[in-house]
Amino acid sequence: MTVLQICGRAARWMEIDIRTTRVPFALTLAVVLAAQTAGTAGAVPREMPTDPFFTYGRAAEYTVTSERMEVPMRDGAALACDVNRPGDAGNVPIAERFPTIVYDFNAYDGLDQLAVDSAYLVERGYNILLCNVRGSGNSAGVLDPFGLQEQQDNYDLVEWAAAQPWSTDKVGQSGVSYGGHTSMLAAANNPPHLAAVIPVDAFSDWYENTIYRGGIRSDTIRTWQASTAPATEGPYDEHPLYDEYWIDRSVKAKWQNIDVPMLQVGGWYDRYRDPMMQNYSAHPDLTWVVAGPWKHGMPAGQKVDIGTGAYLAWWDRWLREDGSAPLPAQRINSYEISSEPVERGWQQFGQWPPAESTELTLAMGTDGGLTPLSTEAGSRAYTVPSDHTDAADAAVVFATTPLPADVVITGSPTAKVSATFTASDGNLAVIVDDVAPDGTVERITQGWLKASHRNGSTSPEPVIPGQEYELDVRAWPTHFRLPAGHRLQVQVRSDDFPDITDDAPAGDVIVRTGAGGSSLTVPVLPTATVR
C-alpha cells in the first residue's frame, strides 16, 4: 500500500512536496535505468536495455571553463548566464567551434550546481549555456512561467548561441520538469538553429497537464505556485476555461511547428507521463521515448552524471552529426512496472501503444463486478457531501474476479461513464487500481473530467439535473503488469484531492451499470485473460 493510501490527506500533501522539490537535471538515464523502483514492491534489475545507445561513451578531452555573461534579448533586456566551454590543460577556452546546449532553462537559479551536472558534456566537446529565466536568479524582470516573453527569450538564447564565434550552428536544449517544459516550447517555437531536444518530465499543455485536469482545478501545483511563481495564483484561478491565456503557454497548440528530433524521457509514476506520450503521438517519426519506473524529477537514489551513455549518444548524433553515434534500436523503451516483483524490466516497442496491444472492454456491473460480459441493467449511486469532509468515501467501485493469468496494460484506460447528477454540474475521477489477494490496493492510473467540460474546456456546456450523460474519461497511460490472482478495480468518484480540488457541488451521482451502461476499456498485451 502506498503512503497516500496509508496516511490519508496529510501524507498526500507530504508526498506532493517531495515530488515538486526541484532536482537537478543531472538525473540521467545511465544509472537511473538501474535505480530502485519508485513505488513498487520490487527492485529494478541493474541490466539496462541491450542496446548500444544506452552504453555509449567516449573519453573526456577538455577541461571546463566558465564565464558569467549578460545575454541580450531582442527587447533590450538581458539574462544572467554562465557560458561553460571546453578548455585546455591551463583552463583556457579552446579556440574552436563546438555545439552548444541550452541546459535546464528554468526559474530555480542554481547555476553552480547545473555547472557540476553538465561538466561531463563540456569535457567531451560541448558548450553549455546555463541561464536564469527572466524574473529569476540574477535575470531582471517579471517571472511568468512558460509565457510568451519567456518563450521569446528562449528563442533568442538559441539564436544568440548559434551566432557566437565559439559555437557551431547546431544548438540543442535539455531539461527536467520546468527545464523540460521550456525544451518542449523551444521545439514548438522552432528557432532556426535548434537541432534536437531532450525534454524530461515535460508537458504538452500547461492547462490540461497541470492546472485544470479535465477542467477541474488541481491543488497539486499550488505549493509550487506559492514558493516559485506567486504572481500566477490570481491569473490561474481567473482563467478556468481554455482560452488564449493557456493557448499561449501550450506546446500542443504549436505541435505542427516541431521539426527537430525529440528524446522524450519520463516515468510511469510521473505526473507528465501522459504528455510524454502525447508529444510522441504528435510526431512519432521525430520522437524516441524512454519511460522508466520513476516519479517526478527522478528522486534521490536514481541520479548520476547526466553526460553518460544515452544523452551523449543523442547529442553526438544530432549536434556533432556523428553518424556512428547510435539511436535507440526501437522508438519506445519502456520499463514494465508492477505492484509485485514480477515485472519483466525494460521492453522495446516500435510504437505506442505497442502494435500487438488489443482493447479489452469490461462492463461495470450492477453487482459491483467488472467483466467482459454485460450483466443485468441497473444503477449504483453515491452522494457528494456539502462540506466534502466525507468525500473520500463517496464512490462506486467495480472489480474483476481474481485474474487467472497476468494482465499487462499498455496505454491509457478509458472509462465510459453513463452518469446522472442531481446538481447542476459534477466532477468525475476514474481511478484504476491493482488489488492484491490480501486486499492491498495500489493505484495504477487515473483520469478526471468535469461534466460541463465533456466536449472540451473552451466552452462549457450546461448539465441539467436528472439528465443522463455519457462521459468519456481517459486515464493517464501506463505499462503495468497485474499478477495472476490480483483483481483489476475501477473507482468512479467525485473527489481525488489534491490532484483535483474538492469543488464538486453537493448532490447524488447515479451511474448506470450492467447492459448498455458504463464500461472500462483497457489496452492490453495479448496475454490478457479476464473472466
Side-chain angles (χ1 to χ4, degrees):
M1 184 174 291
T2 66
V3 172
L4 304 187
Q5 294 161 332
I6 295 172
C7 302
R9 290 192 176 187
R12 295 185 77 165
W13 272 111
M14 183 169 62
E15 180 164 308
I16 292 301
D17 288 342
I18 292 169
R19 292 184 184 184
T20 54
T21 300
R22 187 182 77 85
V23 183
F25 187 39
L27 304 169
T28 189
L29 294 175
V31 171
V32 169
L33 301 183
Q36 289 295 316
T37 301
T40 69
V44 181
R46 294 194 175 273
E47 296 81 8
M48 294 186 295
T50 55
D51 183 333
F53 178 74
F54 295 94
T55 57
Y56 180 83
R58 53 187 177 81
E61 300 179 62
Y62 308 101
T63 61
V64 179
T65 71
S66 184
E67 180 182 2
R68 174 61 59 91
M69 301 184 68
E70 295 289 314
V71 176
M73 301 290 100
R74 71 184 72 174
D75 65 349
L79 300 186
C81 298
D82 285 343
V83 180
N84 292 357
R85 297 168 52 197
D88 61 19
N91 289 327
V92 175
I94 299 292
E96 296 179 22
R97 292 179 181 267
F98 296 97
T100 299
I101 300 169
V102 178
Y103 190 94
D104 220 359
F105 186 49
N106 63 45
Y108 305 126
D109 200 5
L111 301 190
D112 290 344
Q113 182 59 53
L114 292 176
V116 174
D117 300 341
S118 59
Y120 183 100
L121 294 171
V122 181
E123 292 166 351
R124 284 154 182 80
Y126 288 94
N127 304 309
I128 297 294
L129 190 57
L130 307 171
C131 301
N132 298 140
V133 302
R134 189 180 297 227
S136 72
N138 291 318
S139 294
V142 177
L143 175 63
D144 179 15
F146 322 119
L148 292 177
Q149 182 63 67
E150 187 173 283
Q151 294 177 51
Q152 180 177 290
D153 290 347
N154 199 161
Y155 185 108
D156 291 351
L157 276 179
V158 170
E159 293 306 294
W160 177 85
Q164 300 312 300
W166 35 261
S167 180
T168 68
D169 63 354
K170 299 291 184 183
V171 179
Q173 184 158 332
S174 61
V176 59
S177 193
Y178 198 123
H181 304 338
T182 56
S183 296
M184 279 306 305
L185 284 167
N189 285 305
N190 199 19
H193 292 97
L194 185 69
V197 295
I198 305 178
V200 181
D201 298 345
F203 68 14
S204 62
D205 188 277
W206 191 228
Y207 175 95
E208 173 188 318
N209 306 148
T210 309
I211 310 302
Y212 287 92
R213 292 171 169 170
I216 310 168
R217 183 68 159 97
S218 172
D219 275 354
T220 301
I221 200 66
R222 290 187 186 274
T223 302
W224 175 87
Q225 285 182 260
S227 63
T228 302
T232 66
E233 292 179 299
Y236 287 8
D237 287 335
E238 293 161 7
H239 290 270
L241 301 181
Y242 192 70
D243 55 18
E244 287 298 323
Y245 181 86
W246 300 110
I247 293 171
D248 286 345
R249 290 156 176 77
S250 175
V251 172
K252 181 181 290 189
K254 308 178 187 73
W255 267 339
Q256 70 277 8
N257 298 336
I258 297 176
D259 65 0
V260 297
M262 298 181 288
L263 181 63
Q264 296 278 339
V265 181
W268 288 125
Y269 297 99
D270 181 64
R271 66 175 63 98
Y272 292 110
R273 61 185 183 268
D274 189 27
M276 170 178 65
M277 288 309 187
Q278 287 183 1
N279 289 328
Y280 158 78
S281 296
H283 287 286
D285 56 330
L286 290 173
T287 310
W288 288 258
V289 173
V290 178
W294 310 315
K295 293 183 182 179
H296 187 69
M298 302 178 190
Q302 293 176 281
K303 66 179 184 178
V304 73
D305 194 341
I306 182 174
T308 55
Y311 291 172
L312 182 63
W314 181 262
W315 296 131
D316 280 2
R317 179 64 171 247
W318 300 115
L319 302 189
R320 286 167 54 109
E321 298 183 285
D322 181 355
S324 67
L327 293 172
Q330 296 288 342
R331 292 284 174 166
I332 308 297
N333 301 268
S334 173
Y335 191 94
E336 180 190 282
I337 60 174
S338 178
S339 59
E340 301 287 347
V342 298
E343 66 268 18
R344 294 187 301 152
W346 288 97
Q347 306 293 311
Q348 293 187 309
F349 305 104
Q351 65 182 57
W352 188 264
E356 57 269 38
S357 293
T358 59
E359 289 192 338
L360 176 65
T361 297
L362 304 171
M364 299 182 194
T366 306
D367 61 355
L370 193 61
T371 171
L373 303 175
S374 293
T375 57
E376 181 180 357
S379 66
R380 303 185 73 204
Y382 63 91
T383 299
V384 179
S386 58
D387 58 4
H388 296 282
T389 54
D390 297 319
D393 299 321
V396 289
V397 182
F398 308 89
T400 66
T401 57
L403 300 172
D406 290 3
V407 171
V408 181
I409 303 174
T410 49
S412 296
T414 301
K416 182 188 74 174
V417 181
S418 299
T420 302
F421 303 88
T422 60
S424 59
D425 206 347
N427 295 346
L428 287 183
V430 171
I431 300 167
V432 182
D433 298 315
D434 174 0
V435 183
D438 66 359
T440 299
V441 178
E442 176 162 324
R443 180 178 295 208
I444 300 172
T445 188
Q446 64 284 309
W448 312 272
L449 180 66
K450 184 177 287 294
S452 58
H453 289 234
R454 58 192 178 274
N455 291 315
S457 294
T458 301
S459 300
E461 300 182 13
V463 173
I464 300 172
Q467 180 171 318
E468 184 175 282
Y469 296 93
E470 187 173 289
L471 304 171
D472 293 324
V473 185
R474 188 180 64 84
W476 290 347
T478 188
H479 182 186
F480 190 96
R481 178 177 291 264
L482 288 93
H486 288 224
R487 292 180 293 132
L488 178 65
Q489 172 179 283
V490 60
Q491 305 177 48
V492 179
R493 57 191 319 123
S494 295
D495 163 78
D496 192 20
F497 181 87
D499 282 329
I500 56 173
T501 302
D502 290 345
D503 64 1
D508 295 332
V509 180
I510 302 97
V511 177
R512 186 151 59 94
T513 54
S518 305
S519 63
L520 178 71
T521 298
V522 186
V524 295
L525 292 180
T527 55
T529 303
V530 178
R531 291 191 293 234

